[in-house]
Amino acid sequence: MSDPSPAPGRVQLFVTCMIEAVRPEAGLAVVDVLEALGLTVDYPEDQTCCGQPAFNAGSWDDAAAMARHTLDVLSRSDAPIIIPSGSCGDMVRHHYPRLLEGDPVYGPLAAAVAERAFEFSEFLYDVLGVGREAASPAETTGEKVTNHPSCHLLRGMGVREAPRALLSAAGVELVELPNAEECCGFGGLFAVKMSDISGAMLQRKLDAIEDSGASTVVSCDVSCLIHIAGGLHRRGSAVQTKHIAEVLRP
Amino acid sequence: MSLPVPNVTFYERVEDALANDYQRGAFDRASSRFQALRRNALDALPAAEDIRDRARAIRAHTIGKLDVYLAQFADAVEANGGHVHWAADAETARRIVVDIATAAGATLAVKSKSMVTEEIHLNEALEAAGVRTVESDLGEYIIQLAGETPSHIITPVIHKTKEQCGQILHEKAGVPLTDEPAEMTAAVREKMREVFLSADVGISGANFGVAETGTICLVTNEGNGRMTTTLPRVHVAVMGIERLVPTLADLSVMLQVLARSATGQKITVYTNLVSGPRRPGEPDGPDEMHVVLVDNGRSRVLGTQMAEILYCIRCGACLNACPVYREIGGHAYGSVYPGPVGAVLTPALGGVENWSELPQASSLCGACREVCPVRIDIPRMLLELRHEADGAGQSPAWAGMGLAAFRTAATRPGLFRAAVSLSSAGSRALGRGGWLGKLPPPLSGWTDTRDFPALAEKPFSQQLRERRAEKGKDEDGT
Amino acid sequence: MSSDRDAMLSRVRASLRSAYLPGALPSLAPWTPQATRASRAELTARFSSALEAVGGEILLAASAAEAQRLVGELVARDGNGEVLIWPDDELPLPLDGTVRAAGGRPIRPHLSAEREARRADVRALNRPSLGITGALAALADTGSLALVSGPRRPLVASLTPLTHLALLPVDRILPDMATFMAAHEATALAAASRNLVFITGPSRTADIEMIITRGVHGPKRLVVVLLDFPPQVSPRPL
């Protein structure tokens, strides 16, 4: 694990189309957390979508077009890029360089952006060193929270400790999610194309959430959250879903 | 390149699988158990990650020089006194084995477990040529009696209860009815012993071929691999061309991860290294030994982005890790190779146009890549196959149009904002209390089992802009 | 047919020009597996517990006489008259006399090269319920015996009977397979003999509902008599 580097003054936010359209409150929480840490958060207004849905569907021309647009948007500044999504973070860091390999302009841009793009919890923990000390028991808020590690964050980007460390430091009571590392079944268009399988995987995740005894399930991926939330709502469950920033916000 | 496509569609197979509660429970229990066994075995292996790295390096290097190693292997087998046959496709491979069997005057062939022989549908060809063919692996024997295909690479009959196994053995093989595995084992031992003693030909697969020495390595727990390759006068080993490693030292590395990844054992009960027919003066072993090298599309796959799937050592760890396999089991995949490896290998060998659903039946969670002893990047290849299918015009029309429209909007920010705004209004009109209980086709699959949130009234960008404008006003105003 | 060989190899070569092979290097770097430094006593203990963990049985003999006594007892208990057994000079100590004294008849199988005679020979070697062999070496980390075929070493003795008894001088126990491959020049072994087999416990399966049962096709009992005393005859090089 790298030592925290001196905090940059300024970051860019790539908020993701999911947060933009479905869960804006998560994005605002991200901004609140970053600003509270003393950062200036730039929000390039012409950002749209990283292109992952098209990429996952195999439409790589479409995906490349969206990637080029995104790279244009994010390359105007060389400030670090904060992405509050493991799946979009994985897309930018791992798939952009390969997708645009050989492109004389966007190949290098993709490599450069991949270097300075971070998922939100990763940035807080690895770069800023937040959450390295757990909160003392007296400071716990009493909220029983369980963490769902999204697949792209966990296995794609290799971010294992950050979310749990940050949640512990925030003083929430973190309860274990049984079989936490199993996929929730979202998988993008998979949830629609293979809806029976996706639904079965979701039921398993929902059972685990209920077994955990948590009142809130937290994730770093809004796509997982809306999938889980949709299932919880259908079940009539009172369990809430929150992006990690919503729990961390001061 | 012949991998027969089943008559029943993928979706029908999935529906059947999801409706079968016992099977779902069986795959669930098996997956959990195998995952734990594998985890314990690798935790107990010093420098396990280094060994996996080395295992990958060995396989990658071998595939990268496959022509050299195939030649070396064949020369070594022949130097040992074995015969090497080169089968470009399934039909040729079948013909070669049938010819060997009929030349040997065989009326009975005994087989130890071999996936490649199932891939090429060998048994049917032998039966048609008058050679009765009996599967000796206990699970495969039960499968054969039941007229089914295996549902798991390592435990082929995991989808059946012990009662069902006992029933099949009773009805099809005259074994006294029992639901005790120990009694079934004893009965099958006796039956199969008679087959081993009478068989004219023993047909095996190969877990690995060792190029330097012309050795076939077979791993089993039951001992049927040894029986098949020791008692009959003629031994035929059928092997996919990609199953080589360069040296015996390399083999010992592979053997450190194979059983641990498959069943959590440090090593299987029998690790059998066969290097040709019996040498002059040896008291037992076959007098005639053949190796049939099967291509059947592998050399074509080698030339593509899917070549990495050829590193596979058939341990089954990816099946056990896969959340999709856990739900739908092995038969839903429709071919001899189930699970994540099958989702790549089957379309790669058989053509993605014939197996278009398999690469789609994944959430790309990456659990398979995480457990693969040779670190194969299956999700990467699933994406490549999806790309290939899309390029061949196989994406459904709605997805194609939807994504094209999305791309147009996503590369024009003004249009994107308008589209978001429209969708938001639409969703809130259709929904109640912020939720949609029914999405229109083609998205209706989602709402079969879950609700969909209405889009936010004000998107993030607008809220941020307004908030910052407020702050700006405050700051100015003060 | 050499043209089939040439055709396949040229297809492979052609594909290699466009193959995407992540992690493939033109040559493998040298690899030294983790070295184990262990005393004979440690190796013996490790081997014993590894083999017992998978259902094998260990008997300790501190003298030739004790070893012969243990073998005689097993012949009397598990034998059914005939015993498949390696000749005395292929075993670490002579057992022919011991077997006879215990009421067994030593059988040295040799399958005929003639088809019909071979059939009869195969059936005959199926009768004995006990097989006695030596072992070239053993692997401590997995609890495995290494047996190699040879003109007077029928491996069927370790395969067809219900009980397999192996005599193992403790100084033949090596840490692991990699050490074995190097120390015993396995490459040369593979050229000279047909079959090298690593045996790790009695035959088993878990195919039915993942419930383990023993004695599927191979032996139901594997008994290793560890010989922990100076050899009466020097170990034979192969």
Side-chain angles (χ1 to χ4, degrees), chain B residues 87-116:
Chain B
D89 53 33
E91 196 192 313
T92 310
R94 289 193 295 265
R95 186 180 39 76
I96 290 168
V97 179
V98 167
D99 286 351
I100 294 170
T102 50
T107 54
L108 176 63
V110 67
K111 285 189 67 209
S112 67
K113 190 154 86 169
S114 160
M115 303 199 68
V116 69

Side-chain angles (χ1 to χ4, degrees), chain A residues 56-57 188-196, chain B residues 11 360 395-396 398-399:
Chain A
N56 283 359
L189 281 175
F190 170 78
V192 174
K193 283 187 190 170
M194 298 281 162
S195 55
D196 289 343
Chain B
Y11 293 102
Q360 306 290 341
S395 291
W398 63 266

Side-chain angles (χ1 to χ4, degrees), chain C:
Chain C
M1 282 206 63
S2 75
S3 61
D4 289 343
R5 167 177 168 142
D6 292 339
M8 193 180 292
L9 293 179
S10 45
R11 275 200 305 277
V12 169
R13 245 175 257 128
S15 284
L16 284 171
R17 279 185 232 126
S18 56
Y20 175 62
L21 295 169
L25 293 172
S27 54
L28 280 170
W31 163 258
T32 8
Q34 269 209 346
T36 336
R37 316 199 104 256
S39 67
R40 178 186 296 173
E42 277 164 7
L43 288 174
T44 306
R46 216 178 287 165
F47 169 78
S48 302
S49 64
L51 180 54
E52 284 177 331
V54 292
E57 298 163 58
I58 303 281
L59 298 173
L60 289 158
S63 69
E66 194 181 348
Q68 284 164 334
R69 183 182 56 76
L70 289 165
V71 171
E73 276 170 14
L74 213 83
V75 170
R77 209 169 53 236
D78 273 30
N80 61 347
E82 294 173 323
V83 177
L84 291 181
I85 185 167
W86 290 3
D88 280 349
D89 55 354
E90 291 286 353
L91 294 172
L93 56 103
L95 288 176
D96 207 87
T98 308
V99 168
R100 290 178 200 280
R105 194 155 65 85
I107 302 287
R108 316 226 189 275
H110 192 109
L111 301 176
S112 168
E114 194 280 309
R115 280 180 211 211
E116 288 312 313
R118 184 193 172 104
R119 280 184 201 288
D121 292 338
V122 162
R123 287 210 169 264
L125 65 78
N126 186 50
R127 289 197 302 261
S129 63
L130 174 63
I132 301 178
T133 72
L136 174 60
L139 314 180
D141 66 346
T142 50
S144 309
L145 297 171
L147 275 67
V148 68
S149 62
R152 271 118 34 74
R153 292 190 298 273
L155 294 194
V156 284
S158 69
L159 177 60
T160 51
L162 268 173
T163 301
H164 170 210
L165 190 157
L167 288 113
L168 178 67
V170 294
D171 59 4
R172 295 192 187 191
I173 303 175
L174 298 172
D176 52 44
M177 192 184 289
T179 312
F180 168 83
M181 296 293 198
H184 283 271
E185 292 175 20
T187 309
L189 276 181
S193 22
R194 177 192 78 94
N195 194 197
L196 166 61
V197 65
F198 298 97
I199 298 174
T200 314
S203 150
R204 56 162 261 181
T205 183
D207 272 351
I208 298 172
E209 287 197 21
M210 295 184 79
I211 296 164
I212 296 179
T213 59
R214 298 231 171 99
V216 195
H217 304 297
K220 198 166 181 181
R221 274 186 85 189
L222 170 62
V223 181
V224 175
V225 177
L226 288 174
L227 308 176
D228 200 351
F229 53 88
Q232 292 179 299
V233 285
S234 48
R236 214 150 295 98
L238 277 141

Side-chain angles (χ1 to χ4, degrees), chain A residues 78-104:
Chain A
D78 58 11
I81 300 151
I82 312 303
I83 307 179
S85 159
S87 62
C88 307
D90 189 43
M91 181 72 194
V92 169
R93 180 177 288 171
H94 291 129
H95 296 300
Y96 271 18
R98 252 183 79 75
L99 190 59
L100 296 166
E101 208 171 12
D103 183 315

Side-chain angles (χ1 to χ4, degrees), chain B residues 201-238:
Chain B
V201 179
I203 302 171
S204 75
N207 293 90
F208 297 101
V210 181
E212 183 183 43
T213 53
T215 299
I216 297 280
C217 175
L218 281 172
V219 310
T220 76
N221 282 314
E222 298 184 9
N224 55 325
R226 291 186 65 198
M227 289 288 203
T228 302
T229 58
T230 304
L231 294 186
R233 194 183 63 79
V234 178
H235 169 215
V236 182
V238 184

